[in-house]
Amino acid sequence: MAIIEISNLKKSFGKLDVLKQITFDVNKNDVIAVIGPSGSGKSTMLRSLVHLEEINAGSITIAGEAFVKDGVYAKPQEIKKITSKMGMVFQHFNLFPHLTVKENLELPPKLVKNEPVAAIQQRSTELLRKIGLSGHANAYPANLSGGQKQRVAIARALMMNPEILLFDEPTSALDPELTGEVLEVIKALAQEQMTMIVVTHEMGFAREVANRVIFMDNGEIIETGHPSELFTNPQNERTKAFLSRSL
Ligand code: ADP
Ligand code: MG
């Protein structure tokens, strides 16, 4: 069953057509790796899914409910309700610098959810344990490594109990020796059957964890397939050229 249906998505910035005709479905428990050169529209596509960008045409349906249909958006409250099924993790963490780790985790649900504080605190304690940062609950982001910050950002996204997690190059801002600890957290989520779309340059990770790879170039999906097919036997010349530069 498709939990996300993206159909004929088009987006331009002025005269620049950034997304040309993007169509794909995400099934429950899918881990989809999105790869492609810089500027191919990967971030814009992901941002459109959580309504950080508005598309010009097309439809996006989450768990059976469209928040934009043929380019026409639903009411703001409806959009919010539907997009809140997704959590997003950014390249640059986007933690609140003036809040502790624990406060970073607890603020979003406190702001939007009608939930007892005790339940929120219990979840943040559990998630900090899960990402191996129980001892850092009262630290500020500035005192964490990049890898730790990104693990906190993942935990913060999980605090909202999303059905789907989106990652936009979660390890691109990290020193190479810190990427592993972040990829391990994402891998563990995959093992728990979390549905995820991960924009990444980590081909080894995509190969190991994704059940589908989407190659984008110049605002289009050029090729999609199981990693064992797409990485070893790419069909399209542009995929071949990109992979020969990236592997
Ligand atoms: P990717 O994530 O694959 O590197 P992006 O989605 O960030 O690609 O960008 C796709 C294209 O859209 C690029 O040419 C980029 O410069 C352009 N773009 C992205 N955001 C904006 C914006 N807010 N205004 C104008 N152009 C943008
Ligand atoms: Mg990007």
Side-chain angles (χ1 to χ4, degrees):
M1 178 203 136
I3 190 162
I4 306 181
E5 297 167 72
I6 298 163
S7 91
N8 299 315
L9 210 146
K10 288 191 195 179
K11 168 74 181 171
S12 40
F13 290 110
K15 284 187 180 159
L16 184 67
D17 295 327
V18 173
L19 300 175
K20 290 173 181 167
Q21 196 75 263
I22 301 292
T23 297
F24 68 96
D25 284 355
V26 178
N27 293 317
K28 218 167 162 24
N29 308 337
D30 269 349
V31 178
I32 296 186
V34 179
I35 61 172
S38 177
S40 56
K42 306 181 297 297
S43 294
T44 305
M45 186 271 288
L46 223 52
R47 291 167 60 79
S48 299
L49 296 184
V50 288
H51 196 232
L52 288 171
E53 301 287 354
E54 290 220 333
I55 58 173
N56 303 111
S59 306
I60 304 174
T61 305
I62 310 296
E65 293 183 288
F67 70 86
V68 51
K69 196 170 165 42
D70 298 325
V72 180
Y73 277 86
K75 294 195 181 80
Q77 233 174 351
E78 182 77 0
I79 297 174
K80 213 169 179 185
K81 191 195 92 192
I82 297 172
T83 56
S84 69
K85 296 191 167 91
M86 291 172 283
M88 177 121 165
V89 175
F90 300 89
Q91 184 176 348
H92 293 287
F93 330 125
N94 297 10
L95 297 176
F96 307 114
H98 59 293
L99 298 182
T100 65
V101 165
K102 183 176 155 64
E103 289 165 347
N104 263 279
L105 264 59
E106 294 177 1
L107 182 67
K110 280 180 181 166
L111 284 179
V112 304
K113 287 218 164 165
N114 218 346
E115 193 184 0
V117 171
I120 293 173
Q121 287 173 337
Q122 189 186 345
R123 199 153 71 251
S124 74
T125 304
E126 278 165 20
L127 283 168
L128 283 176
R129 191 180 314 133
K130 185 168 178 170
I131 59 165
L133 289 175
S134 298
H136 294 73
N138 298 314
Y140 285 88
N143 296 318
L144 301 179
S145 72
Q148 291 172 329
K149 281 185 218 177
Q150 194 59 300
R151 281 145 65 198
V152 172
I154 295 170
R156 185 179 58 175
L158 290 170
M159 283 296 291
M160 303 298 285
N161 292 323
E163 291 179 43
I164 304 148
L165 268 187
L166 312 178
F167 294 84
D168 193 0
E169 301 198 23
T171 61
S172 292
L174 301 178
D175 292 335
E177 71 271 20
L178 300 178
T179 60
E181 64 191 64
V182 171
L183 296 179
E184 283 305 319
V185 172
I186 303 174
K187 241 184 260 180
L189 290 170
Q191 276 157 9
E192 293 167 19
Q193 315 271 297
M194 176 61 90
T195 306
M196 297 187 280
I197 304 179
V198 187
V199 173
T200 186
H201 290 296
E202 297 284 340
M203 298 301 159
F205 168 80
R207 211 171 184 141
E208 189 185 346
V209 180
N211 67 319
R212 190 148 37 109
V213 181
I214 291 177
F215 171 63
M216 282 180 70
D217 192 12
N218 200 18
E220 295 174 292
I221 294 178
I222 304 298
E223 186 165 349
T224 166
H226 192 273
S228 64
E229 300 156 7
L230 192 134
F231 285 122
T232 51
N233 191 20
Q235 300 298 303
N236 188 285
E237 289 306 320
R238 281 147 85 179
T239 320
K240 286 180 196 172
F242 175 76
L243 290 176
S244 70
R245 281 182 270 130
S246 310
L247 290 179

